[in-house]
Amino acid sequence: MTASIATNQTILVVGGGISGMTAALEAAECGKQVILVERNATLGGRTALLYRYFPKMCHPTCGMEINLRRIKANRNVRVMTMAEVQEVKGSRGDYTVRLKLSPRYVNSNCTACGECAKAVDAEIDNPYEYNLSKTRAAYLPHNMAYPMQYVLDPSIIGTADAEKAKAACKYDAIDLAMQEETVEIRAGAIVWATGWKPYDAARIQPYGYDRFANVITSVEFERLANPHGPTGGKLLRPSDGKEAKNIAFIQCAGSRDENHLRHCSRICCMASLKQTHYVREAYGDDAKSTIYYIDIRVIDRLEDFYQQVKKDPTVNFIKSKVAKIAEEKDGNLVLHGVDTEGYHRYATTHDLVVLAIGMEPETNGIKLPDDILLDSSGFIEGASGGMFGAGAATSPLDVNRAAQSATAAALRAIQVVHKTSTVEGAR
Amino acid sequence: MAKKNYAFYPGCSSQKGASASNFVPSIEVMCDKLDIQLNEIPDWNCCSASIGYGEGSQLSRLVLNARNLALVEQNMPGQDLVSGCPACWLATRETAEKLHEVESLMADTNEALKEAGLSFKGTVKARHLVEVLIEDVGFEAMKEPVVKPLEGLKIAGYVGCQTNRPFGIAGESFENPQYLDKMVETVGAEPATGYEQKVTCCGGALAFSEPEKSQKQIKDIVESAYDHGADMIVTPCQLCQANVEIYQSEINKKKGTKLSMPVVYYSQLMTVAYGGTAKQAGLDGNVLRPQKLLDIASK
Amino acid sequence: MSDLNQKAVALYGGNFLKEVEERVEDGEWVSMCMQCGVCAGSCPLGPHWEHSPQKIFRMIMAGKREEVLTSDSVWMCTSCYTCIVRCPRKLPITHIMHGLAHYAHRLDVAPKGQPTRELAKIFWNSLIRTGRVNELKFSLGVYFKDGFSQGIKNLLGMQGVALGLMKAKRLNPMEILGGHKCKDIGGIQKMLAKAQEIEARRQI
Amino acid sequence: MAEMKTAAYICSGCGLGDKLDVSQLAKIAQREGKMALVREHAFLCNSEGVQMIRDDIEKEEVTHVCIAACSRRAKTEAFNFPDIAMTRANLREGVIWVVSEGAEHDEVRQEMADDYVRMACAELKKAKVPAGNPNHTHLKNILVVGGGMSGMTAALEAAEAGYEVILVEKQGSLGGWAGKLYKRVPFKAPYAEPQETGVAELAARVSAHPLIAVHLNTTVAETSGAPGRYAIKLAQESGAVTEIAAGSIVQATGFTTYDIKKLPELGGGLDHVVDHAGLESLAKASNGGPIRRADGKEVKSVVFLQCAGQRDEAHLPYCSGHCCATSIKQAMYFKDANPEVSTIVVYDDLRVPGMGEDFYRSAQHKDVIFSKGKASKVESSGSGCKVTYRDLILDTDLVLDADLVVLATGQVPSSGVNVADWDRLTKEAEGGSEEARQQRNDLKRISILNLTYRQGPDLPKLKYGFADSHFICFPYETQRTGIYTAGPVRRPMDIYQATEDATGAALKAIQAAENASLGRAAHPRAGDLSYPMVRLEGCTQCKRCTVECPFGAIDEDEKRFPVFNEQRCRRCGTCMGACPVRVISFENYSVDTVGSQIKAVEIPDEFSEKPRILVLACENDAYPALDMAGLSRIVYSAFVRVIPVRCLGSVNTIWITDALNSGYDGVMMMGCRKGDEYQCHFVKGSELAGYRMSKIGDTLTQMGLEPQRVSTYEIAITDNARIAGLINDYVAELVELGPSPMKGFG
């Protein structure tokens, strides 16, 4: 791909999660030219890895199916995966962006027939399962992957496995000679929809995520609950594969904590309330969920969902920030703390502990262009010129608000290319 | 190589005939082997420890510690203040930081120091001896002098509180610090991994005032060491050493347990590993004889 | 009620939070507590408390002056600093507890005979006499704090410990005759006197 | 366009060649499918295969292409031929990946593939490339109703993108609630202090903008038309009416506050008890100085009671989201003017998400006291109030004396008529009830848009009167194409969210106008050029289409014939499914395109023990789930024949009866979840299908068929394992039941 496909009328959207797809599509469906770049091998981002959404308990892949159909049907959007922004030059209305394209080692001939995966022996931690399971080093990220093409893990390049994969492909879709390239594209406006990442749970030492197998994060729990996930949708705990029926959900795992994240991550309370549904779905009245919280933050109509969960006799609420977790020989976990409503000390045993892990910007640790303003947590607060934040890159947002924010960002980008076009028209 | 100089703050319990006095020779041997030169602070005074707050006002406690810092600043330029006792170190370091943060307190402190003919500018760094070992010497260099690796010894690294919180060793976790286990490895012994009581509080000064409550803590600390098959406990804290060691007999009396878990100070381990005698290691000063360590020392 | 205490009450009226913020070491942090309770769950002596730190903070904000200052709980801090390192609002809880205990002691409203309070007194006196703590006198002091006969009992009770330490030359009976002291004890005492003078100046 | 010329391309890649007799498929396409041109290719989706097709289009003037290869969801970039009608026979995901391995299954596998080729050819012959809606619209300007923060923002953002805006505000000035505030909550780092509202500046920019026309003291008297051609009557206070036209509409009519008089137990109605709005006016009056009560007394102590009449079934069941931050801000008004003022916030959960946490910290720094508790009583006492509440931390009852009590009451949306009530009254009125007609007229008075739509004068409400989207991924998925809500009318929210929301709504309005001008559908079938066509001469004026259209796209003329407003239509086909006389169709999706596929399937005789089951699968959830079952190589019975449909709402019962008549043993209808948490992006498609099928019972009995020969299922897109199970169970059930007695009569 070369710069020729893009002009200063083009809107560049960085990040192919729900926010980036939304920003790209909303602009494109207004007739604008859009390039959507995604660092990973597929669009979909983190929402594609969720099992259900609150409060409707519907499936993220449903919305993704619609968005993918919109992308397939819309010639204004060009998607570039495995593409990372390296440098942005220029100013509002006229940017030049250098992109690094990582080799996929699979070209567009790929029919997703899966023969290469069968041929390869090497296995890697599956990043699309938060490393909860392994996958062959030639793999399709997931069933909703777009583009629907396999990808070879760089670790097997130069090994016999790579050759096996190549040999197995009848459609010479595997190109081991692929190299990393850099391309420059022009854009009038840039939307940064770079999203979020879960806070590093190992750093919350009292909870022993790095020491205790059965302490997991909320994003990992989504994979356990997912029928397409590593346990086929069964809530099996990592240490011994035993069914986890008595589950603790610890809120503010990293959030609202000056030792970790200053901010409240907004979604975690709803996420845990939602996840108590998974437990109930799995075990009915034998389920036992306990939510340890400081404040239950479910605003607007979402309150309904909270009230509904509150009525569920299998769910318990304890106002307390858990002080520490201790592991027992059988892998069970004892939570120590104090219920501050009236001061009741507890030491409660659970099969599994789910940390409602906080959100931090995916770009933390990555250098963004200077004229992007970040807040104290690294979220994009605003930007001078023709660059705009969208979705969870701007603030910890739920999917609905992220899509709103992305739609707004699309209009701001359109305003930029509109101005440049009218100015040029005037000339 | 030239020895590195430090202003040494032994602390009250290291005075001759005091509870930590038996560690002094082992500290000397250890430092000698590691080219550390400890120069005792002339006429140092008590840090007021963690219990001084009851009677002693904030400023009184600050000036006590400031005096030691001032003595170093004045008489031992360029040297870090180093203590083997976490309480001394913590009180001093907290003072140094507080005076650095709050100007008015620095002013008040100096006004008081003047009465003792001293002044403090705030240039002295307060460090724990363990910090010096890890940051200035390093684990590799700690290994070098080892002539009698402590093979066959399983040791529970009991870090306790004040070397660990609130400052701790840079880069270490408050809940699960690793450095003591690493030190145990450097001297050729096996650390009791998964020793979950490693940062449990021994009761500190409340071992005196609230014996029952503290002894419950100590019981957990010792029993867990047994559970993990440890031959002895090692600690970087002199008060922890004393509390955890000497109250075992009390606990046995009250609870009918048979606790007899030797508790050593890390410099005792290193002295033995570095070829020092039982006497140099001050093992005769241990109330509960660390037999296996004695055996290696006498080899 | 000590007149110091009366003065404080008069000065702050009902506003105990303000009193704590101005008069107690690190008291200005109290209002930052968000009642998560992590301190309460972290304290090694927690099970023995009537009031957890977070509850004490709430009591301060609710103006429960007497309950707080007479609380036994503020004397139960072992200075393990676990609460400090876990507090999501970074309150220096250990110091606030020390500060509250000291303040209650200064106003002489702290519980009479509270063991740690007594221990602290003896420790401090031992310290300012020589500039260094004399463990034997200090310990004896502790055992005799409740009077002579109780002292003997305590001492017998701790015989094992004491003898053990003596055997190990870590408790020197000769200490009783004097032992260590700072050369410039005079300067130290002047210095401490000055410190008190300065603080008196700052407060009522 | 040239004469129709059909061509079928049969791929043997991805194992199709190994598992199927491709040459037989080719023969079928030729002989039975009557394809003018049939070609096989070993790897149809590669550049060479695609080029072959392009060449045929070029040189052989092929106009209609049947691809017999993989799923229509796969390889869309390769098989992309503008202005060419195309159908896809799903031989990969639909056949070889889901039929059991092994020679013993070769026969059924081949039969399945044969049928899919037949079906694709049959559909192709009925398919047309949509030409697009001929009556184009041209209006791209936007009507914004409401001049508050949301409305002004929507207007300005749209104008900045070059679109003309007409802004209507019923008050005499712009600003709305935000204009009544002393200050606003911060929305930028450091999130520490209340900020200027900026309302005056915004209002000035709006009034001065060359592309924005502001109408004050004005309401909307009538709205008719459709995206790209709305005709609106604006009524001034004076009574004068001006007619304007607009391409699309943003409704930003905001909220009103909950009446505190409904909260007597919390002192609502007492002299020194106010709500947030009341406190703002006191703060404005004091303008930075000490805040005084209505009676002039300076306030020395104030208590804020959160969730007053909120999160409460008896009042507002929801949380208004902004109130915690608003009370923090207002507490700061007091502290900033005089730090000695006692400010206590009594809350249940302190809800300041995101960076609001820093604002909370800032208030704590200022000694605002937060107390988790529940107030039970507020009464007058002395010159102020006495608040009795339970302190949940100390677990005791406390009494607070305060000069002033502030109740954090909630937002009530200004969203006009509840369309559900309207619908009920309409039916009763049409049933002849005079009372209902009267009530309907009364109801109309509170309408905001006064739409002339059959489905009612305002937007349908989601819950508690909020006119929000029902979908999480698509916050602007409106049920009235071209009309988008923004701000607190859609959901309780603060100023910052409202401005974000308004900007998004402005984009959707622009988009709707642009799509309408090109005769294209709006989300979720964005870009679809097909549109409902009706043969009115066949229409029986039964009104089912007008009643069932989920988007209010169809009006009725005086003779009760349907009047289609294509620009309002979302192309779901519900009208097509509803029509008993089958006069409604789309060029690329009609009773024929599906019907012909059903007929194309070869039905084995009753002795063959090979049942045939028709599966009508929603193309958004069920069909992808079937595809993904294939992708995961989950096998299911080879006796099913799957046809994707736009929505179960578009399923015309004739398809079912035709299928059963022609000897199918059963029909599975797979749609998405119905009920309150419905999944259907066409609102009630699967619900309608369920309803229609419940009616089909009689027909079945007349035909002498068991009711279980037709069954409906709710399928989620993740159900790929479950869907295979359902199919297999159903097949087993039918085998149990025995072959359809209709076989052979077809």
Side-chain angles (χ1 to χ4, degrees), chain B residues 147-185:
Chain B
V147 290
K148 289 186 189 164
L150 310 180
E151 278 149 2
L153 228 59
K154 191 165 184 185
I155 304 177
Y158 172 56
V159 177
C161 302
Q162 298 194 337
T163 30
N164 184 38
R165 293 181 299 261
F167 302 115
I169 303 299
E172 282 282 9
S173 141
F174 297 133
E175 312 285 338
N176 184 31
Q178 299 300 314
Y179 70 87
L180 197 51
D181 289 351
K182 285 194 213 142
M183 286 170 76
V184 166
E185 279 170 347

Side-chain angles (χ1 to χ4, degrees), chain B residues 12-13 15-23 40-61 63-64 67 90 94 98 104 108-109 111-113 115-116 161-162 164-166 174-175 199 201 203-206 208-210 213-217 238 241-242 245-247 249-250 253 284-287, chain C residues 25-26 28 44-45 48 72 74-82 84-86 95 97-99 101-102 105-106 114-116 119-121 123-125 127 131-135 138-139 142-143 145 156-161 164-165 167-172 175 180-185 187-188 190-192 194-199 201-202:
Chain B
C12 301
S13 50
Q15 303 169 94
K16 188 165 184 315
S19 61
S21 50
N22 61 317
F23 306 143
E40 182 162 343
I41 302 170
D43 202 39
W44 55 268
N45 58 265
C46 173
C47 68
S48 84
S50 54
I51 192 67
Y53 67 83
E55 183 75 35
S57 68
Q58 182 185 15
L59 189 57
S60 316
R61 286 177 283 132
V63 295
L64 276 173
R67 180 174 177 274
L90 188 51
E94 281 189 323
K98 195 78 175 177
S104 63
D108 294 350
T109 303
E111 185 182 347
L113 279 175
E115 297 294 313
C161 302
Q162 298 194 337
N164 184 38
R165 293 181 299 261
F174 297 133
E175 312 285 338
V199 295
C201 179
L206 273 63
F208 278 103
S209 53
E210 300 280 359
K213 301 177 177 86
S214 309
Q215 284 168 27
K216 189 205 160 297
Q217 301 286 110
Q238 300 173 341
Q241 194 282 336
E245 182 184 40
I246 65 181
Y247 288 105
S249 58
E250 277 298 299
K253 244 191 283 166
D284 54 343
N286 288 66
V287 176
Chain C
E25 181 176 354
D26 285 338
E28 68 276 15
L45 263 56
H48 313 288
D72 183 42
V74 295
W75 290 97
M76 293 219 188
C77 174
T78 66
S79 310
C80 75
Y81 289 80
T82 311
I84 284 192
V85 299
R86 288 183 188 166
H95 300 146
M97 288 297 128
H98 292 174
H102 174 79
H105 176 68
R106 238 182 101 242
Q114 207 292 336
T116 306
L119 171 71
K121 233 186 289 179
F123 177 91
W124 187 258
N125 295 335
L127 149 59
R132 294 183 187 177
V133 167
N134 174 321
E135 287 183 341
F138 170 48
S139 333
V142 175
Y143 300 131
K145 68 178 162 53
L156 293 175
M158 291 300 286
Q159 221 168 21
V161 172
L165 282 173
K167 217 162 78 269
K169 302 198 179 51
R170 289 163 63 184
L171 189 60
N172 182 353
E175 285 269 327
H180 311 270
K181 69 190 306 219
C182 292
K183 294 195 202 64
D184 185 25
I185 180 62
I188 292 174
K190 278 207 240 90
M191 176 181 86
L192 290 171
K194 187 63 163 182
Q196 280 183 351
E197 180 197 317
I198 294 168
E199 275 172 328
R201 205 163 63 208
R202 298 237 179 286

